[in-house]
């Protein structure tokens, strides 16, 4: 009788331990994740927006689980409403949602499966006829702030007005659709994005652009965070509109000019804090960027990254692109 009681007690302890482990495994999904997509350039052109996605999970292991996602096939910041964890696997479904100027296609749908393995997320995305695999890395803590301790370095002319030296295509080194003429960097539209070969951390960026009507572009900071360019003159500010840190930070005003006029961005990025001025009007100051945006090509937020110019939408022109590196003052 005593032996049976001991066995029963041990079995009970084992069951409790297994239940606790299962609960802990669910909570391991919680956090912010930078996602590297494993695909060929042809896949990016046809089936996904970029090579880097973002995932935010809270409340995993509870009925109140909440998921936010930036990735294929849309690139916006979406709240995921169809999700569950079953047998240690996180399943969620992306479906399109309506937003200004975009009518969702009810046939669009993407299914995601993720497992937590040794501190990483390993997953698949299926949206017939394609299946992509990806790896999620926990977003790093970046304890750097725009606190007056940053020193300006020597200005770097990113575009010399003559050719594409120092630039390359995101998905192809040919950078087709981009050209240099009379001091202007021109994009024909519906082509590859352009990025600098060099990578940068904290900096001030001056950039002038000219956008025709019914076009769209953007500037990618570190190849991760997009400052939006849109032909939305006269409209209220929005998360997808001119000046927004795309889907992340709302500008105070829409300071954009009418299509066809030259406009000027002055952007300062320190750590994850960004200050943006458009045409002399401050849009936000030291706004904190929560994570990657739809332009992202490099998921590793703790590393320097390139300046990226979006060309996969409509035509756009750029000129006078100057970057000033910022370094931490010694002893601070």
């Amino acid at each position: 009788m005593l032996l049976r009681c001991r066995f029963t007690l041990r079995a009970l302890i084992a069951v409790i331990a297994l239940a606790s482990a299962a609960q802990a495994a669910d909570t391991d999904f919680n956090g912010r994740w930078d996602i590297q997509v494993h695909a060929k350039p042809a896949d990016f052109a046809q089936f996904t927006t970029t090579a880097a996605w973002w995932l935010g999970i809270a409340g995993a292991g509870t009925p109140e689980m909440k998921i936010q996602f930036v990735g294929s096939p849309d690139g916006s910041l979406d709240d995921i409403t169809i999700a569950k964890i079953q047998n240690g696997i996180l399943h969620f479904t992306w479906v399109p949602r309506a937003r200004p100027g975009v009518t969702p296609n009810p046939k669009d749908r993407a299914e995601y499966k993720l497992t937590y393995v040794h501190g990483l997320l390993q997953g698949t995305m299926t949206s017939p006829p394609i299946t992509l695999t990806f790896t999620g890395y926990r977003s790093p803590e970046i304890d750097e702030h725009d606190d007056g301790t940053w020193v300006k370095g020597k200005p770097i002319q990113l575009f010399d007005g003559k050719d594409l030296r120092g630039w390359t295509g995101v998905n192809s080194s040919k950078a087709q659709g981009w050209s240099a003429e009379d001091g202007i960097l021109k994009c024909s539209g519906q082509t590859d994005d352009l990025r600098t070969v060099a990578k940068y951390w904290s900096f001030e960026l001056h950039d002038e652009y000219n956008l025709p009507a019914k076009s769209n572009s953007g500037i990618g900071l570190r190849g991760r965070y997009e400052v939006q360019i849109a032909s939305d003159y006269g409209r209220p500010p929005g998360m997808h509109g001119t000046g927004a840190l795309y889907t992340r930070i709302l500008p105070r005003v829409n300071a954009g000019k009418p299509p066809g006029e030259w406009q000027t961005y002055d952007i300062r990025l320190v750590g994850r804090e960004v200050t943006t001025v458009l045409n002399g009007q401050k849009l936000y100051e030291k706004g904190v960027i929560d994570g990657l945006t739809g332009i992202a090509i490099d998921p590793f937020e703790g590393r320097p990254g390139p300046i990226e110019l979006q060309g996969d939408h409509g035509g756009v022109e750029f000129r006078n692109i100057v970057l000033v590196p910022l370094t931490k003052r010694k002893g601070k």
Side-chain angles (χ1 to χ4, degrees):
M1 186 69 177
L2 179 60
L3 180 61
R4 181 180 296 177
C5 288
R6 287 177 177 173
F7 177 79
T8 304
L9 181 60
R10 289 176 181 174
L12 180 60
I13 292 173
V15 170
I16 294 173
L18 286 173
S20 298
Q23 181 69 18
D26 287 353
T27 60
D28 282 338
F29 286 103
N30 287 325
R32 298 177 179 182
W33 299 89
D34 295 333
I35 296 175
Q36 183 178 34
V37 185
H38 309 302
K40 299 176 181 178
D43 294 327
F44 295 129
Q46 297 179 57
F47 304 113
T48 182
T49 52
T50 61
W53 302 340
W54 182 89
L55 189 64
I57 305 172
T62 75
E64 288 75 38
M65 180 170 65
K66 294 181 179 180
I67 298 177
Q68 287 191 308
F69 179 62
V70 174
S72 179
D74 181 74
S76 290
L77 177 64
D78 286 313
D79 293 316
I80 302 298
T81 58
I82 305 172
K84 65 180 179 181
I85 299 177
Q86 190 173 42
N87 299 324
I89 300 175
L90 171 60
H91 303 256
F92 72 83
T93 302
W94 176 89
V95 292
R97 60 185 175 85
R99 66 174 191 265
V102 177
T103 301
N105 183 345
K107 295 183 179 180
D108 286 345
R109 194 179 185 93
E111 301 290 344
Y112 296 80
K113 294 182 180 179
L114 302 91
T115 56
Y116 179 86
V117 182
H118 303 305
L120 303 177
L121 296 183
Q122 301 293 352
T124 61
M125 182 278 283
T126 302
S127 183
I130 192 69
T131 295
L132 298 174
T133 63
F134 56 86
T135 300
Y137 302 84
R138 287 199 182 277
S139 303
E141 293 294 330
I142 301 177
D143 189 21
E144 294 182 348
H145 305 281
D146 195 358
D147 54 7
T149 62
W150 295 84
V151 179
K152 295 182 182 182
K154 183 178 179 181
I156 301 170
Q157 197 84 30
L158 297 184
F159 172 55
D160 64 7
K162 302 175 182 178
D163 53 42
L164 298 182
R165 190 177 310 166
W167 296 83
T168 184
V170 167
N171 295 317
S172 170
S173 60
K174 296 180 180 180
Q176 292 180 337
W178 291 87
S179 61
E181 183 180 347
D182 298 327
I184 298 174
L185 181 59
K186 298 184 178 183
C187 173
S188 61
Q190 303 298 317
T191 186
D192 196 5
D193 289 358
L194 197 67
R195 68 168 178 86
T196 58
V197 175
K199 298 182 178 182
Y200 308 95
W201 183 244
S202 291
F203 53 80
E204 290 185 349
L205 178 68
H206 176 90
D207 194 317
E208 299 175 17
Y209 73 89
N210 191 326
L211 191 73
K214 299 181 180 180
S215 192
N216 181 293
S217 184
I219 302 170
L221 312 178
R222 297 191 197 127
R224 299 177 191 122
Y225 317 121
E226 178 185 357
V227 178
Q228 173 73 312
I229 294 174
S231 55
D232 58 355
Y233 171 71
R235 299 178 191 171
M239 282 294 203
H240 295 84
T242 294
L245 199 292
Y246 191 69
T247 71
R248 294 290 188 180
I249 302 176
L250 180 70
R252 297 172 182 170
V253 296
N254 179 352
K257 296 180 180 181
E261 293 189 22
W262 282 100
Q263 310 194 51
T264 301
Y265 265 128
D266 288 289
I267 304 166
R268 180 180 172 99
L269 179 64
V270 174
R272 282 196 177 99
E273 295 180 357
V274 60
T275 298
T276 299
V277 177
L278 175 61
N279 300 323
Q281 295 191 60
K282 186 173 291 185
L283 307 182
Y284 37 85
E285 184 173 13
K286 301 179 186 178
V288 178
I289 307 172
D290 286 334
L292 305 181
T293 72
I295 204 171
I297 56 175
D298 183 337
F300 301 106
E301 289 190 87
R303 305 177 186 176
I307 300 301
E308 183 181 0
L309 302 178
Q310 191 174 52
D312 61 354
H313 287 43
V316 64
E317 297 178 346
F318 295 95
R319 69 183 184 189
N320 296 336
I321 309 173
V322 180
L323 183 143
V324 178
L326 299 175
T327 57
K328 190 78 169 177
R329 185 180 300 136
K330 292 182 179 179
K332 298 293 184 180

